[in-house]
Amino acid sequence: MDFARLPVGPGVRVLDLGCGGGRHAFEVLRRGADVTAFDMDQAELDSVAAMFAAMDKAGEVPAGATGETVQGTALDMPFEDGAFDRIIAAEVLEHIPDDMAAMREIFRVLRPGGTAAVTVPSFLPERICWALDEGYHTAPGGHVRIYTLAELSAKLKSTGFVIGPHHHAHGLHAPYWWIKCAVGVDNDDHPLAKAYHELLVWDIMKRPAATRIAEAVLNPVIGKSVVLYVRKP
């Protein structure tokens, strides 16, 4: 997520839709906004709530900022119309058979003039994963479609959004998933998959210049995700 394109801060209400482990929600909270972490998985939400509490105890939460968790489905969110100033929907829509219904819900709960950041797996890296391992996308809760940027943009535009800029992200992550699919997506102990995973963890923790440069070069070509910014008129 590029927070220069999705600015958040004190007084801004943010929905992290399909928050999963909560990494976007945590960053939003650190920036002083009021964030709602929303997901179907209560176990994930319990973990996110525990982290919110730990962040507050450690003094990482600016004064006045709030973090809450809410369980539910993207097809029928328990929020009023226009409840949020910003919405993050990261790697969510590819899991939902009726993605247009989810887009309509995102549109409904975003305030007029508000901005949403929608991310999905990029077409080429995702297509390679599907070709390498059927289990990658046929497992329960797996991916049900591969988006092109044109399809994603057209669907969001037909929902009512004004389409804004886009970029690709996680160029270093695509080879990891290709390895995983080649050796078995559940085979976390394979030496090659394990070694690459350790590289990614090291990169996330240390963010050395060499990998930052490498990812910047790889993102436009094999970035694992495409991030599209849209606005509600």
Side-chain angles (χ1 to χ4, degrees):
M1 206 63 59
D2 179 0
F3 284 102
R5 291 172 169 155
L6 190 79
V8 300
V12 176
R13 302 161 298 169
V14 183
L15 173 66
D16 185 1
L17 171 60
C19 65
R23 63 191 180 94
H24 290 114
F26 303 147
E27 181 60 25
V28 168
L29 188 59
R30 287 189 188 100
R31 290 171 180 260
D34 300 318
V35 61
T36 298
F38 183 76
D39 204 282
M40 291 180 63
D41 190 332
Q42 187 60 51
E44 292 270 39
L45 292 174
D46 291 342
S47 176
V48 171
M51 182 58 75
F52 282 161
M55 290 171 62
D56 186 46
K57 186 176 181 179
E60 296 181 25
V61 180
T66 61
E68 66 169 354
T69 60
V70 176
Q71 185 186 31
T73 169
L75 300 179
D76 185 20
M77 290 191 276
F79 308 117
E80 295 181 0
D81 295 357
F84 298 98
D85 304 301
R86 308 280 184 268
I87 296 178
I88 297 170
E91 312 296 295
V92 173
L93 294 176
E94 70 275 11
H95 295 275
I96 301 174
D98 191 354
D99 59 340
M100 295 284 295
M103 291 177 190
R104 288 191 292 270
E105 273 292 272
I106 293 171
F107 188 86
R108 180 184 68 80
V109 303
L110 184 64
R111 69 163 174 81
T115 305
V118 179
T119 92
V120 298
S122 299
F123 178 83
L124 178 60
E126 184 76 350
R127 189 69 191 87
I128 292 173
C129 286
W130 281 45
L132 287 171
D133 185 6
E134 183 179 357
Y136 171 82
H137 65 94
T138 58
H143 299 179
V144 298
R145 72 180 58 80
I146 303 175
Y147 286 101
T148 63
L149 177 59
E151 178 190 355
L152 179 63
S153 299
K155 285 184 171 182
L156 288 166
K157 185 176 181 179
S158 71
T159 304
F161 286 106
V162 176
I163 306 302
H166 73 275
H167 61 85
H168 291 79
H170 305 312
L172 290 176
H173 290 236
Y176 169 70
W177 283 101
W178 296 341
I179 292 169
K180 287 273 287 178
C181 289
V183 303
V185 73
D186 294 322
N187 187 4
D188 294 329
D189 293 326
H190 189 280
L192 188 55
K194 196 171 183 179
Y196 203 109
H197 183 264
E198 290 174 358
L199 169 67
L200 292 178
V201 172
W202 172 76
D203 173 58
I204 291 169
M205 297 299 294
K206 301 297 184 181
R207 302 190 68 80
T211 55
R212 295 302 87 221
I213 294 170
E215 185 149 85
V217 172
L218 292 172
N219 278 345
V221 183
I222 59 168
K224 184 70 170 65
S225 299
V226 60
V227 189
L228 180 62
Y229 301 88
V230 297
R231 180 177 58 84
K232 180 176 178 177

